Amino acid sequence: MTPPSTGAERLAAALCDQVGEAPIIFGLLGDGNLLWVDHAVRHHGARFVATRHEHAAVAAATGHAHATGSPAIATTTHGPGLAQTTSALLTAVRARLPVLLVTGAVHPAARLHAQRADQRALVHATDATYVPVRSATTIEEDRAVALRALDEGPAVLDVDLAVLDGPAGPTPAPNRMTVVPRPAASPSSPDPVMIERVAGMLTDAHRPLLLLGRGAADAAGPGRALADVVGALIGTTLLGQGLLADHPRHIGVVGGFSTPAARAVLEDVDVVLALGASLTRYTVDSGRLLDGATIIQVDRDPRKIGDPVRVEVPIVADACRTAQALVAAVGDREADVVQRMDIGRPLGATSDRVRNDPEGDDPRDVIEALDAAVPDDRSVVVGVGHYSGWAALGMRTPSPAARLLPWDFGAVGVALGAAIGVAVADPRRPVVCVEGDGGVMMTLPELDTLGREALPILVVVLDDQGFGAEADILRRADLPTDRAWIPTPDLVAIARGMGLAAESARAPDVGRAVARLLGNLPALLHVRTSRQAVHHEIFAALGP
């Protein structure tokens, strides 16, 4: 290949050399990135997925990184291009996902340029790593710094126009053009002394709980065996939902979304073994759950241990290996024999739901119909809103990795962009993106991206004609709720105008509508939901 002649060409080569195959780049073009993106596509076989907004480009990279577990690239131009990514970038930072955002910067000599901004300060405000490209001759070195930073979360590689437009400089030596890929994290074995200690604690416990998180996805087998030999209850975090769900002592999600029956059982727990589970305030329901229990936490990432819950026994190790070692240490013993526990349905009894509201259906009815209608082999992305808890609890996935809840920054309007990245990562599997009318209206242009890229995404809009969460806050403060309600335009007509199949349906017809739309993806399903349905648990979970 012809050596690069400009900084833009050298940057394209450096970024494309970081992976073994042609990279995927999510972004929006501007004069701060168009030259290197063009070169990456034409000369390096990169795929450029153009979104309609910079925010969606970073959200898509977030979804792609979550789905693949590998670094994902997004790009924007300078100034407003970078500024408009901040809520999606903060979401990726909080989730510690390996997102590399390559942004332009105005020419250093253009002091009065309208789009000049303190980009270092913008990035630092998000807690992402800021890596400026110093010159054309340091592109490979600076890229390597940014890639290493992805171990901690997103990084922003900032390249100004003087570097992009200028000469490439001397051709770097081969060993400077190749960054050694980050080694896959090797499973770490637990300390045998700690294993003996924990085995004794579990054996002596009156009512132990095995709490599985997303990091325990590969520990289901030894986890089941361990629960059986010590007679432990089994619960999951919201992100680990579904693991060992068929076990007779499974009590569902542990945290603010626990069912009343599960909460009653959890009051008796005296020892908790958390495997690959982040013990956030949501998992302990801000201290209302597991208070007084002895906490043992196992995670390969020491940063996730003991924050914010006090952990008596921290173990930095692989969840699967730890469970295997504990089974061997405990040995054979007769576990408690119990009938299948009845901890209630995650979405509550149907008798408690809204009926005969001409304005819309109970969202729980819609979610149950949707879950039944979509094939089991699906990915699910749920946005932020009043409906979030119901959708996350009611939509099953084949594995925790197939569920993405981009709630880390609490930003409305991230889900649709994230679904784009998930669908690009695996176009063979349908992606169900559950959003509210508020989130869809914030990211409406990305319906065009779905149609243009022919992505296998079903967008399901739960439409209460406004912001139900804010309405409930106003209601509880004895204030009028009218300012929380905003009429929604005809989303079916809008989606069809952007090239998508689209229908509206009431809850009893959701299954038939989904069956039609799944054969014509991408598609949008619009469902009016009742304002009378209030998810009180989501406010309790998110409260102080």
Side-chain angles (χ1 to χ4, degrees):
M1 182 175 292
T2 305
S5 61
T6 66
E9 293 179 3
R10 187 164 174 174
L11 176 64
L15 290 171
C16 292
D17 281 349
Q18 72 169 314
V19 293
E21 57 185 24
I24 297 170
I25 302 167
F26 301 94
L28 198 63
L29 291 183
D31 59 334
N33 63 354
L34 59 85
L35 293 178
W36 77 260
V37 170
D38 171 75
H39 196 78
V41 171
R42 287 195 298 114
H43 296 283
H44 297 276
R47 177 183 176 186
F48 181 65
V49 178
T51 60
R52 287 294 188 175
H53 195 283
E54 291 91 350
H55 170 275
V58 173
T62 298
H64 197 271
H66 170 89
T68 64
S70 299
I73 302 175
T75 184
T76 72
T77 190
H78 41 60
L82 172 62
Q84 294 187 137
T85 69
T86 50
S87 58
L89 187 56
L90 268 160
T91 300
V93 167
R94 300 283 174 87
R96 289 177 174 161
L97 287 167
V99 171
L100 177 63
L101 173 57
V102 184
T103 188
V106 300
H107 197 289
R111 298 182 180 277
L112 301 180
H113 196 293
Q115 293 185 332
R116 175 177 290 281
D118 187 345
Q119 300 196 164
R120 181 189 298 269
L122 277 172
V123 174
H124 283 173
T126 69
D127 286 332
T129 299
Y130 176 79
V131 181
V133 172
R134 295 163 291 168
S135 69
T137 59
T138 66
I139 283 175
E140 292 77 23
E141 296 172 11
D142 298 327
R143 172 210 55 179
V145 170
L147 291 179
R148 286 195 295 271
L150 298 184
D151 287 327
E152 303 292 327
V156 176
L157 189 65
D158 196 15
V159 196
D160 68 48
L161 286 176
V163 171
L164 293 172
D165 294 342
T171 302
N175 65 343
R176 290 185 62 207
M177 284 295 291
T178 303
V179 170
V180 177
R182 293 182 300 158
S186 57
S188 53
S189 297
D191 182 345
V193 174
M194 299 294 282
I195 288 296
E196 289 298 325
R197 178 184 175 191
V198 171
M201 295 170 68
L202 292 173
T203 301
D204 295 339
H206 164 70
R207 175 61 79 191
L209 168 68
L210 178 62
L211 179 59
L212 304 173
R214 185 172 60 187
D218 63 346
R224 182 188 298 273
L226 179 61
D228 286 340
V229 296
V230 300
L233 300 171
I234 297 174
T236 71
T237 63
L238 188 60
L239 293 179
Q241 186 181 1
L243 290 173
L244 298 183
D246 62 338
H247 195 280
R249 287 190 298 276
H250 195 280
I251 61 171
V253 171
V254 174
F257 295 140
S258 294
T259 66
R263 297 178 79 94
V265 173
L266 287 167
E267 290 179 358
D268 203 28
V269 166
D270 56 344
V271 175
V272 178
L273 173 62
L275 287 177
S278 296
L279 294 174
T280 67
R281 67 184 184 93
Y282 306 113
T283 304
V284 298
D285 195 15
S286 297
R288 289 181 281 267
L289 285 179
L290 308 177
D291 184 32
T294 298
I295 307 293
I296 307 157
Q297 188 176 7
V298 181
D299 205 294
R300 291 169 62 180
D301 187 347
R303 298 169 301 179
K304 295 181 179 179
I305 294 180
D307 182 18
V309 177
R310 181 176 178 272
V311 173
E312 281 79 7
V313 184
I315 300 177
V316 180
D318 175 73
C320 184
R321 288 196 175 189
T322 300
Q324 291 170 337
L326 285 170
V327 171
V330 170
D332 297 326
R333 65 185 294 266
E334 185 176 348
D336 296 336
V337 178
V338 299
Q339 300 298 319
R340 177 168 293 278
M341 303 185 72
D342 182 9
I343 48 87
R345 297 168 62 184
L347 300 186
T350 55
S351 59
D352 297 331
R353 299 182 188 179
V354 175
R355 292 286 179 262
N356 304 317
D357 182 353
E359 295 299 320
D361 301 303
D362 192 300
R364 289 162 287 189
D365 292 333
V366 178
I367 290 298
E368 287 182 343
L370 177 65
D371 180 63
V374 180
D376 290 343
D377 188 22
R378 57 336 190 29
S379 295
V380 175
V381 181
V382 179
V384 171
H386 182 220
Y387 60 89
S388 299
W390 286 324
L393 290 169
M395 292 298 297
R396 295 166 298 134
T397 56
S399 69
R403 178 184 296 107
L404 175 55
L405 309 178
W407 306 351
D408 305 84
F409 185 49
V412 176
V414 178
L416 189 52
I420 291 171
V422 172
V424 170
D426 186 0
R428 300 165 299 178
R429 172 185 284 176
V431 179
V432 181
C433 177
V434 184
E435 258 285 24
D437 49 300
V440 166
M441 290 302 296
M442 284 185 180
T443 53
L444 201 57
E446 301 314 322
L447 295 179
D448 170 71
T449 305
L450 268 60
R452 181 169 19 90
E453 294 288 335
L455 298 173
I457 298 175
L458 174 62
V459 181
V460 180
V461 185
L462 303 183
D463 181 9
D464 63 0
Q465 303 275 305
F467 291 89
E470 284 65 29
D472 189 67
I473 294 171
L474 290 167
R475 187 183 300 114
R476 288 185 285 119
D478 293 325
L479 295 171
T481 63
D482 52 298
R483 279 173 289 279
W485 305 121
I486 307 173
T488 307
D490 188 343
L491 290 176
V492 170
I494 293 170
R496 288 174 177 171
M498 293 191 181
L500 276 65
E503 294 188 24
S504 285
R506 295 296 297 260
D509 300 318
V510 162
R512 289 184 289 273
V514 168
R516 291 189 293 270
L517 293 173
L518 285 175
N520 295 281
L521 297 179
L524 180 142
L525 176 63
H526 171 261
V527 186
R528 279 293 306 269
T529 55
S530 174
R531 294 177 179 175
Q532 298 174 31
V534 178
H535 194 184
H536 297 288
E537 290 82 3
I538 198 167
F539 296 109
L542 299 177

